[in-house]
Amino acid sequence: FPGSALARKPPAWVMAAELVETSRLFARTAAKIDPAWVERLAEHLVKRSYSEPHWEKKRAAVMAFERVTLYGVPVVAQRKVPYARVDPELARELFIRRALVEGEWDTRHRFLRDNAALVIEVEELEQRTRRRDILVDDEVLFDFYDARVPQHVVSGAHFDAWWKKARRRRPDRLHFDRDLLMRSDSGEVDAAAYPDTWHSDGLTMPLSYAFEPGAAMDGITVDVPLAQLADLDPARFEWQVPGHRRELVTELIRSLPKQLRRHFIPAPDHARAVLDRIDAEEPSLLDALGRELHRMSGVPVPRDAWRFDKLPVHLRLTFRVIDDEGSTVDEGPDIAELQHRLRPKTQARLSAAATGLERTGLTEWSLGELPRTFETEHDGHPITGYPALVDEGRSVGVSVFHTAEEQQHSMRLGTRRLLLLAVASPMPAVVKRLDNRAKLALSAYPGGGIGPLLDDTLTAAVDALASRHGGPAWDQAGFERLRTAVRADLYDTVDAALQQVQRIVDLGQTLRAGLPQVKDAELVDDVQAQLDHLIGPGFVTHAGIDRLPHLLRYLRAVELRLDKAPHDLSRDRAAMLVVHELEDQLHEQLESAPRDVDRVRLGEAGWMIEELRVSFFAQRLGTAHSVSEKRVRRALQRE
């Protein structure tokens, strides 16, 4: 009511003695009220409802959320309360299932420990025989407890009070016996060695087990979604599940040609020994086996000597490719072959999704906003793609990729190219400031002279500035902000970078000029190869502006190595062999890497090898981070 003291600034909750309707409906004789009073004072008017009854391990009780309303207005939105006072029958059932049957209860009762140990023992027997009908289901265990626990026991506290007295009269009342749990007999096996899912390339795929000796589907089947098939790494599936791994390695050794196999007899002993030396996180089981068997015996094992086709059927994973409806598209034991065979289907889905989105020949931002993801349907199946700019050399385009990782990689390169097209080059002004000595040094660049080197430095500078200023851009406004920021800093960045590039090229030329005086041919070849790698075509962009000081340090490490190598050639040769082994492994992975983004990741391992060279040949220069042969191997394994 306008005459009320509360009219101008009414509180959140008001209680009124009367409602009067004249020109409007007015509340009269009104006063502020604290909603906390309502539940107690209006007990006869409030309504209570309960939801989400659930077991809480910490409280050892079934809890639910209580909601209190007055005339439909929430007084208490969500308050946790014991559910036993609402539905004691359900609370008792949940207590038995969760606390006693499933063991979700922190307690020291001996019968629970003994029962859990017996269940685990029977599960191990079930797994070892590759059967699913040995252990009884949870309903049998529930009925067992239901018949022995009184009706008033609805929580851990109730149980403790009752069991304190009951166990004195009959301490074995709640103990399982073996006959209760088992339907048949079997041996022991670790259940964790036979997981229900396979994790690979960020995807979780269901596994199904079949114990059907002689059948084509005997063993383990992996359900692979068609949409993710092209992105999976076949090498990761060489490992099998842990429970079959020793048998797998044994049979792989037996599959070797006789001239190799005779070095690894008995096969089971060698399988056990080699498995103790390798890590299942390595990318490829076959590569790891070949490497470790070589180290153990001195006998090299080529990768193509392994014969998966000679393995027992149950040791070869079967891959079942399924579509979005769960129907089988194709299946077989070779995932690489499935990827090749189904490539038209996966590419067709992606190409159909990109209709109207893919572009080419762009020299300026005319896209509006580029979506981060593209979702549509093709032939009734949902498709998700990841659009990104693509560097076409003298223009940019738009393509759709299978993964966000590929999208980010391409987007960075495409944004860089579009910035190079949109921002005036500061090179004429930068070159004008260079003195003759600097120009002479830069012109000696073995990758094509000063012109390509300046272009390379400009590209690297734009790349670095785009990253520093929040690139890549995803819409026109973002690209304009990025272009403005890059334009403002580009001259200074290129000028500073060229000073470092000059020192790098100059020192590189000095080192090359001194190589004819080095008497050891292997050392010369190694240094020459390292210089070609460090100061090859496009080295500034490849390394990045921020890594240029490290390149100079790598070259100084070469200089120190050449000075001291003649005095300790055997030590230099031993370190060189380690480096060459790591580089060979890196080059093999680079050659087999399916995507550009994979090669970029491998490049980081390459820089670790350069740091390892510094630690071997020029320790006093120091390394950018902790590095060792073991760390590099782990990095290569992760790749």
Side-chain angles (χ1 to χ4, degrees), residues 30 57 67 91 97 168 187 330 351 363 377-378 475 574 620:
K57 182 177 180 180
R67 179 181 175 88
R97 291 189 184 279
R168 295 174 184 171
D330 202 346
S351 296
T363 56
E377 287 191 356
H378 179 66
D475 55 33
R620 68 184 181 87

Side-chain angles (χ1 to χ4, degrees), residues 17 71 117 205 255 274 276 386 416 419 438 476 523 545 583 592:
Y71 302 129
M205 292 162 284
S255 78
V274 76
D276 289 338
Y386 299 87
R416 179 181 73 191
L419 285 169
Q476 185 163 2
L523 175 59
I545 294 293
E583 288 179 337
S592 61

Side-chain angles (χ1 to χ4, degrees), residues 390-408:
V390 178
D391 185 355
E392 297 177 337
R394 297 186 178 183
S395 62
V396 299
V398 176
S399 294
V400 180
F401 293 88
H402 283 284
T403 66
E405 188 180 27
E406 291 175 293
Q407 175 195 46
Q408 289 296 326

Side-chain angles (χ1 to χ4, degrees), residues 157 191 371 404 554 557 572:
Y554 300 153
D572 185 276

Side-chain angles (χ1 to χ4, degrees), residues 445 453 456 501 504-505 534-544 548 551:
Y445 169 56
L453 184 58
D456 184 23
V501 169
I504 291 170
V505 173
L534 292 177
I535 325 177
F539 81 91
V540 185
T541 301
H542 173 68
L548 292 180
L551 257 65

Side-chain angles (χ1 to χ4, degrees), residues 431-474:
V431 172
K432 190 175 181 180
R433 287 189 54 189
L434 296 176
D435 56 28
N436 290 334
R437 183 183 180 282
K439 292 178 181 178
L440 182 62
L442 293 175
S443 63
Y445 169 56
I450 191 170
L453 184 58
L454 294 177
D455 291 341
D456 184 23
T457 305
L458 176 62
T459 301
V462 170
D463 200 13
L465 288 173
S467 297
R468 292 174 193 172
H469 292 291
W474 292 90

Side-chain angles (χ1 to χ4, degrees), residues 467-619:
S467 297
R468 292 174 193 172
H469 292 291
W474 292 90
D475 55 33
Q476 185 163 2
F479 180 76
E480 291 300 328
R481 287 193 297 270
L482 193 58
R483 179 169 64 176
T484 300
V486 170
R487 183 192 294 120
D489 296 338
L490 188 55
Y491 178 91
D492 292 338
T493 304
V494 169
D495 187 52
L498 268 181
Q499 295 180 35
Q500 297 186 72
V501 169
Q502 177 190 341
R503 290 194 290 270
I504 291 170
V505 173
D506 199 18
L507 181 53
Q509 285 299 106
T510 301
L511 292 171
R512 291 180 195 275
L515 285 180
Q517 282 73 48
V518 179
K519 303 301 182 183
D520 187 79
E522 288 191 42
L523 175 59
V524 171
D525 290 343
D526 182 55
V527 170
Q528 185 68 58
Q530 185 184 6
L531 293 176
D532 291 342
H533 168 67
L534 292 177
I535 325 177
F539 81 91
V540 185
T541 301
H542 173 68
I545 294 293
D546 294 336
R547 194 175 266 118
L548 292 180
H550 297 300
L551 257 65
L552 191 60
R553 178 165 51 86
Y554 300 153
L555 295 177
R556 286 171 177 159
V558 172
E559 190 176 32
L560 290 175
R561 178 190 180 187
L562 292 174
D563 287 341
K564 70 177 184 179
H567 306 292
D568 196 353
L569 197 57
S570 60
R571 183 176 180 181
D572 185 276
R573 186 65 48 80
M576 184 177 13
L577 290 175
V578 172
V579 171
H580 284 179
E581 183 181 351
L582 295 173
E583 288 179 337
D584 289 344
Q585 186 177 348
L586 173 63
H587 293 156
E588 288 177 7
Q589 294 191 35
L590 284 170
E591 290 176 1
S592 61
R595 304 171 302 178
D596 289 342
V597 67
D598 299 316
R599 286 183 279 274
V600 170
R601 285 199 303 266
L602 285 166
E604 293 302 317
W607 294 118
M608 289 184 66
I609 294 177
E610 293 300 330
E611 293 291 342
L612 185 65
R613 281 179 172 273
V614 174
S615 71
F616 281 164
F617 305 123
Q619 288 184 350

